[in-house]
Amino acid sequence: MFIQILNGIVYGGLLYLLAVGLVLIFGLREVVNFAHGALFMLGAYIGFAVSAAGYWWGGLVVSMVAMAIVGCALDATVFRTLRKQDHIVTVLVTFGLMLILETVVTAIWGKAYLRYPVPPLLAGTVDIFGEPFPVYRLFVIAVAVAIALSLTAWLRFTRIGLYVRAASTDPRITSIQGINVDSLSLIVVGLGTALAGLSGVVAGPLLSLSPTMGNYILIDSFIVVVIGGLGSFAGAFIAALLIGQIHNFGAVYLPWAATILPFLLMVGILIWRPTGFAGSRT
Amino acid sequence: MSLLGFHDVHALYGNARILNGVTFSIAASERVALVGRNGVGKTTIVNTLCGMTHVAQGDVEIRGKKIRNLRGYTAAQNGISIVLQGRGIIPNLTVEENLLLGAATRRPGPWSVARVQELFPILAERRNSPGLALSGGQQQMLAIGRALMANPDLLILDEPSEGLAPVVVDELAALLIRLGKDGLGILLIEQNVGLIHRVAERFYVLSKGAIAESGSLLNVSRDELQRHIAI
């Protein structure tokens, strides 16, 4: 049972890393980024390419930096332009971006599933209540917790974090205080996509690499964002852990319903509390 | 040299022309009122300064320098703080965080969180409350305090008396007179004749998107001013 809970936390941790990027980007740009799963996938492939040369940790760093650059470019060229458009336009454009990124990755690495190795430092298992548990999965939990704590501290205790929280609520008022929200957004979208790269690399050894690997986890991440509350970082953390447990226990005890349980929860939450656990927007 | 000048400014929202050649200027330490009935374009002047309209013709000058590409942050970064109609308090930030947001430009000057809290003690008492937990009058204090945190040379207030009890409007007038005497320039966009008469030295009347009349408030009675607003 405890091992099942840990496995649920592992998946919840991955979901959090992806969902928090969605929250950051939606907060500043109000863009529902359907390309975020493809950015996660691209990050995993970039990490894989460097890792194949024998540099697993280098792959992690290179992937985050590369995805941050991709994010900044996306913000400057696409998201900034989409800011004043209807939400349906942003959905269509980011969906198109997703297809483009999948096609590019397919052209470079092919459609075949690829195996991402676990770094030697994190190979093996540890005994938890007499049962073996992979060290790598504990690493995934540690990364998610570290990111959650760092992000919370950054948002709560730094000047830029204050501006991000303000701009996520009201970009116009924030701008009138003398803050260049476009520059702020460049930082935030870059951070959000860097986290997509990080989660892609971290998820690599747990999932097989394929050009469509981001699609399923993106849907779960959207459910996390909706349940947690649009724009809420704390809500996303709680919702990711909840969906992780539902995903895991559902697969073990209700396999026939495992895929629909998160959707049922989302529908219930939307009816009971349309703003989600901790959000202020619908 | 004026702190802020609009010179024959024509501004549009989409295809709708709201300002039709507005010209006015405010010098350092002046207290000026911009008056006019609803819908004549008073708030559009603020929005134009914030880059939210398309300036089809004319120039906006800050300290004698023509500003192309006006953005939301341009005014604050050039020493002009704006208290918006409706106050614009960020609801999920605390009172103190709202104040700190106002210091984003890091312009040097006398105003700090401590000094604003000294001016408005209630903001010290409620420092950890969410901004929207304050009453209307307290929110107006927070909005003005936040604007002062930028250490501006000019403070623009858009309908600051809206929704305030008369006693609070009196306090607001006393505060603005005091700030003006300390050398702060003030542009008061208002319809409350009593407040205008107490605070401002000069006035502009805006009508149909252009300045219809201007002058010193010393030569204009409240009734005359009221008539200007009602034209």
Side-chain angles (χ1 to χ4, degrees):
Chain A
M1 179 66 120
F2 187 68
I3 294 296
Q4 289 301 338
I5 291 172
L6 279 180
N7 279 326
I9 296 174
V10 170
Y11 187 63
L14 283 179
L15 282 179
Y16 172 74
L17 291 176
L18 204 56
V20 81
L22 285 170
V23 170
L24 282 166
I25 294 169
F26 181 82
L28 260 285
R29 285 297 187 210
E30 295 207 358
V31 168
V32 181
N33 183 18
F34 272 79
H36 207 66
L39 294 169
F40 161 87
M41 175 272 298
L42 180 62
Y45 272 93
I46 290 172
F48 171 79
V50 178
S51 173
Y55 304 103
W56 197 95
W57 297 100
L60 183 77
V61 174
V62 169
S63 172
M64 287 183 72
V65 172
M67 296 314 296
I69 293 168
V70 169
C72 290
L74 272 179
D75 185 60
T77 58
V78 181
F79 296 161
R80 195 174 296 180
T81 318
L82 291 178
R83 182 180 42 183
K84 289 174 184 165
Q85 301 289 338
D86 193 83
H87 283 316
I88 191 69
V89 176
T90 69
V91 167
L92 288 173
V93 170
T94 57
F95 192 79
L97 268 174
M98 179 190 84
L99 296 177
I100 291 168
L101 290 174
E102 285 182 6
T103 306
V104 168
V105 167
T106 303
I108 297 171
W109 284 283
K111 280 187 176 175
Y113 286 93
L114 299 172
R115 200 180 69 83
Y116 202 131
V118 170
L121 182 68
L122 302 172
T125 60
V126 288
D127 270 7
I128 295 178
F129 295 122
E131 289 190 61
F133 190 78
V135 173
Y136 188 78
R137 288 178 173 251
L138 290 177
F139 166 70
V140 174
I141 295 173
V143 169
V145 170
I147 293 293
L149 292 176
S150 310
L151 209 52
T152 304
W154 181 64
L155 290 167
R156 186 63 56 188
F157 302 116
T158 69
R159 188 177 281 269
I160 299 284
L162 173 66
Y163 301 163
V164 171
R165 282 186 290 137
S168 296
T169 304
D170 197 325
R172 179 176 170 244
I173 303 289
T174 306
S175 178
I176 287 170
Q177 308 314 312
I179 296 159
N180 185 338
V181 174
D182 281 340
S183 299
L184 193 64
S185 181
L186 212 61
I187 297 170
V188 168
V189 175
L191 176 63
T193 51
L195 288 174
L198 170 69
S199 55
V201 170
V202 168
L206 300 177
L207 314 168
S208 296
L209 263 62
S210 80
T212 56
M213 67 183 282
N215 297 353
Y216 183 75
I217 198 167
L218 178 70
I219 293 169
D220 274 353
S221 300
F222 274 135
I223 293 173
V224 164
V225 173
V226 171
I227 291 176
L230 289 175
S232 167
F233 298 94
F237 187 72
I238 295 164
L241 291 179
L242 184 63
I243 295 295
Q245 295 305 329
I246 288 173
H247 182 273
N248 213 52
F249 278 94
V252 173
Y253 297 107
L254 284 171
W256 58 274
T259 53
I260 61 167
L261 285 174
F263 290 98
L264 286 176
L265 180 67
M266 182 176 73
V267 170
I269 292 282
L270 284 176
I271 292 170
W272 168 65
R273 191 179 161 85
T275 56
F277 289 153
S280 55
R281 307 189 209 181
T282 53
Chain B
M1 183 177 64
S2 69
L3 274 182
L4 174 66
F6 272 51
H7 303 290
D8 190 31
V9 172
H10 295 248
L12 294 84
Y13 285 123
N15 292 325
R17 189 178 291 264
I18 310 296
L19 300 184
N20 294 300
V22 169
T23 299
F24 70 89
S25 65
I26 300 162
S29 304
E30 265 198 308
R31 301 196 302 273
V32 177
L34 182 68
V35 302
R37 60 186 170 80
N38 288 334
V40 295
K42 299 192 298 296
T43 296
T44 304
I45 286 177
V46 174
N47 287 344
T48 297
L49 190 56
C50 296
M52 291 176 65
T53 64
H54 168 60
V55 178
Q57 189 183 323
D59 295 307
V60 175
E61 285 184 0
I62 298 178
R63 295 172 206 287
K65 187 178 152 196
K66 284 180 193 171
I67 307 286
R68 316 262 171 220
N69 289 325
L70 282 161
R71 295 279 184 266
Y73 52 84
T74 309
Q77 290 187 349
N78 285 283
I80 299 175
S81 284
I82 300 169
V83 176
L84 293 170
Q85 190 173 13
R87 288 130 204 170
I89 303 301
I90 305 273
N92 58 323
L93 299 187
T94 64
V95 166
E96 190 157 307
E97 286 173 334
N98 267 286
L99 287 179
L100 288 170
L101 197 62
T105 57
R106 301 190 187 195
R107 287 187 97 233
W111 292 100
S112 61
V113 170
R115 177 132 188 239
V116 169
Q117 288 175 339
E118 193 184 319
L119 181 67
F120 303 118
I122 188 68
L123 299 185
E125 283 174 35
R126 308 287 304 270
R127 64 165 65 89
N128 294 319
S129 304
L132 279 192
L134 303 181
S135 70
Q138 290 166 353
Q139 281 186 33
Q140 192 60 271
M141 290 177 199
L142 178 55
I144 293 172
R146 188 176 63 187
L148 294 173
M149 286 289 292
N151 286 302
D153 299 319
L154 175 65
L155 179 64
I156 299 178
L157 303 104
D158 191 2
E159 306 275 2
S161 73
E162 189 179 64
L164 298 184
V167 63
V168 183
V169 175
D170 285 344
E171 289 171 11
L172 178 65
L175 169 70
L176 294 178
I177 291 166
R178 184 173 148 195
L179 292 173
K181 283 184 178 165
D182 287 345
L184 180 65
I186 291 173
L187 173 60
L188 184 60
I189 300 172
E190 235 330 314
Q191 296 200 69
N192 182 322
V193 172
L195 182 62
I196 293 166
H197 233 278
R198 285 181 64 187
V199 173
E201 302 155 324
R202 288 197 299 124
F203 72 95
Y204 288 98
V205 178
L206 192 66
S207 176
K208 296 177 182 169
I211 299 296
E213 192 160 341
S214 62
S216 166
L217 275 162
L218 291 174
N219 309 323
V220 180
S221 70
R222 289 187 180 200
D223 287 346
E224 282 176 276
L225 193 59
Q226 185 68 54
R227 208 163 48 244
H228 283 306
I229 292 171
I231 53 175

